[in-house]
Amino acid sequence: MPSVIDDDAALMATFVQTRDRQVFAVLFQRYERKMINHARRFVRDPARAEELAQDVFVRVYTTKRYEPNTKFSTWLYRVATNLCLNELRRPEHQQQLSSLDAVRADDRPIEMVSPAADPEAQAHGRQMAERLQNAMDRLPAKQRAAFLMARQDHMSHEEIAAALETSVSAVKSLIHRALEGLRREAMVAITDSGNYAQEAS
Amino acid sequence: MSEDIQQDLDLLALAAGDDSLSLEKKAELEAAIAKSEALAARYAATQAVVEFVDQLPIQEPSLQFAARLERRLDAIDARAKRPWWTRWQSWPEAAPRWAAAAAVAAAGAGAVFVWPSPEREPVPAVVAQVELLEDLELWRDFDVIEQLDVLEDLEVIEELEGQEPG
């Protein structure tokens, strides 16, 4: 066996050789949430995100050749990203997008201020969260994915670049543009709340 | 506002709570924020973004997620254990689009093979039909061809005596 990069890569190499379902189950348990949430960065529909995550594991299961020379997670994210980008290119997905309501059915409202804060501060917090959610939904899929992979999954720029099959400088640019887009909305919300506070006083 | 300090500020907001920035660097940035309203606004907005992202809900797998995957994997294993000819038979059902595309491609290839090319020997019946049409055209023009023989035998009139030009 070639030099193995990490434990999960070694598990995957073992699975490809032995087809042992228990080995596969270990990898599945470690990555099922991550894959569902990664798919969710590309599609709004939670059920579709689950289907995509299933497709990822079916791909893993049917893989005949695997070289454990990169981190398993990087390889897995690359498989998932390719599947998700293919999904976005499907005309059926475009139709779904136009028919889907922008509100995420399963998402609870994000509280950006403490429940103990005064009603005015809570209202501004809700407004900020709503603005940022809309801005997040409007971001191009790759920008959103790169930004959230960095922030939520704590992946390095190199790992994100490998997963998105792009360069490190392109990843930096994707993250920067995503942050700029979101920050612009946050600044508008802050300015609005400042103006409101001035008017109230 | 310089590009460097903006990037450092982003890093400060993004890396809040971890040790990616040295204490000196943090102190330097905090002093810069205190001096500039624009920097302070930018830093507050970045912090709001980070706070929002960190609260984004994590989607949990549904109760049937693992069971559905198990069923799909069982189906894959069952298919792999079947003899190859039964797999070949079920291929059009498994991939109807590919089956349709293959049928269209086969039909196209067949049509190209059967279609008469210009280099081919003409079919005898077609030759006979063409010859008949040529004969009919000859019959139609026969009078003209006869007159042509007569006209060719006429002498050329060179002048008309006692006639003045009009």
Side-chain angles (χ1 to χ4, degrees):
Chain A
M1 195 186 290
S3 63
V4 173
I5 290 284
D6 63 4
D7 289 352
D8 292 341
L11 276 176
M12 182 61 195
T14 307
F15 170 69
V16 170
Q17 282 178 346
T18 62
R19 316 304 299 174
D20 183 345
R21 275 259 192 124
Q22 287 188 332
V23 175
F24 179 82
V26 175
L27 290 171
F28 171 72
Q29 278 164 10
R30 281 184 193 168
Y31 289 96
E32 62 174 329
R33 274 176 191 76
K34 283 182 179 172
M35 288 302 104
I36 292 171
N37 284 285
H38 185 59
R40 192 69 198 280
R41 289 163 190 164
F42 294 86
V43 294
R44 283 183 193 165
D45 182 12
R48 189 71 198 114
E50 272 207 355
E51 280 174 39
L52 282 167
Q54 289 230 340
D55 291 345
V56 173
F57 287 108
V58 167
R59 281 286 170 92
V60 172
Y61 192 77
T62 51
T63 296
K64 298 272 189 299
R65 281 170 55 83
Y66 174 73
E67 300 289 336
N69 49 16
T70 51
K71 275 179 79 174
F72 174 75
S73 60
T74 306
W75 177 81
L76 190 65
Y77 272 96
R78 187 158 57 216
V79 171
T81 303
N82 283 334
L83 278 170
C84 293
L85 290 175
N86 284 343
E87 167 71 14
L88 293 187
R89 290 185 198 110
R90 284 175 57 222
E92 293 93 322
H93 177 78
Q94 301 298 329
Q95 284 170 0
Q96 272 178 355
L97 259 189
S98 57
S99 65
L100 261 180
D101 198 272
V103 176
R104 292 160 170 250
D106 65 329
D107 290 353
R108 60 182 165 75
I110 293 171
E111 299 291 339
M112 294 193 67
V113 286
S114 151
D118 63 83
E120 194 186 304
Q122 284 191 14
H124 290 144
R126 273 196 299 277
Q127 189 200 12
M128 170 75 83
E130 209 176 293
R131 268 187 175 278
L132 288 174
Q133 183 63 70
N134 289 337
M136 183 69 88
D137 286 344
R138 283 199 310 271
L139 285 180
K142 270 194 167 180
Q143 277 186 30
R144 184 168 55 240
F147 183 65
L148 294 177
M149 284 159 94
R151 184 67 204 171
Q152 290 184 320
D153 298 344
H154 309 289
M155 290 169 75
S156 69
H157 290 169
E158 286 77 12
E159 286 171 335
I160 298 169
L164 298 182
E165 290 186 294
T166 188
S167 63
V168 171
S169 57
V171 167
K172 283 181 184 169
S173 165
L174 286 170
I175 293 173
H176 174 73
R177 277 184 281 151
L179 181 59
E180 277 298 321
L182 295 169
R183 180 165 42 215
R184 209 176 304 123
E185 290 300 318
M187 285 182 97
V188 172
I190 289 170
T191 311
D192 284 355
S193 67
N195 290 344
Y196 183 82
Q198 275 180 355
E199 280 168 22
S201 63
Chain B
M1 204 189 303
S2 80
E3 191 79 9
D4 281 351
I5 198 148
Q6 284 184 27
Q7 282 177 4
D8 285 344
L9 263 178
D10 291 350
L11 199 59
L12 180 65
L14 290 169
D18 65 31
D19 300 325
S20 8
L21 282 179
S22 66
L23 287 174
E24 294 81 40
K25 190 76 191 174
K26 277 183 187 172
E28 187 188 323
L29 287 169
E30 276 157 11
I33 291 165
K35 276 184 210 157
S36 159
E37 249 182 59
L39 275 185
R42 188 186 165 92
Y43 180 67
T46 311
Q47 269 189 320
V49 170
V50 170
E51 193 187 332
F52 167 77
V53 170
D54 290 349
Q55 286 192 57
L56 280 175
I58 300 294
Q59 186 179 329
E60 288 296 321
S62 65
L63 292 173
Q64 292 299 310
F65 183 68
R68 269 190 293 138
L69 182 65
E70 282 283 323
R71 280 199 295 277
R72 283 181 73 176
L73 302 185
D74 288 344
I76 289 167
D77 285 347
R79 204 161 48 235
K81 281 176 190 156
R82 278 160 52 186
W84 67 267
W85 60 88
T86 57
R87 269 181 271 162
W88 175 250
Q89 280 169 351
S90 65
W91 174 68
E93 293 161 29
R97 279 188 190 175
W98 282 103
V104 169
V112 167
F113 184 71
V114 171
W115 201 264
S117 66
E119 294 81 24
R120 283 191 167 209
E121 286 293 316
V123 180
V126 175
V127 173
Q129 215 169 4
V130 170
E131 281 174 356
L132 183 68
L133 281 171
E134 282 174 356
D135 286 350
L136 279 172
E137 279 185 12
L138 196 67
W139 276 104
R140 197 185 60 200
D141 298 338
F142 207 73
D143 286 349
V144 180
I145 293 164
E146 275 186 330
Q147 298 288 338
L148 197 67
D149 291 342
V150 173
L151 288 171
E152 276 177 352
D153 288 343
L154 284 175
E155 286 182 13
V156 180
I157 301 166
E158 290 184 340
E159 61 181 276
L160 292 169
E161 286 178 14
Q163 294 288 318
E164 293 291 322

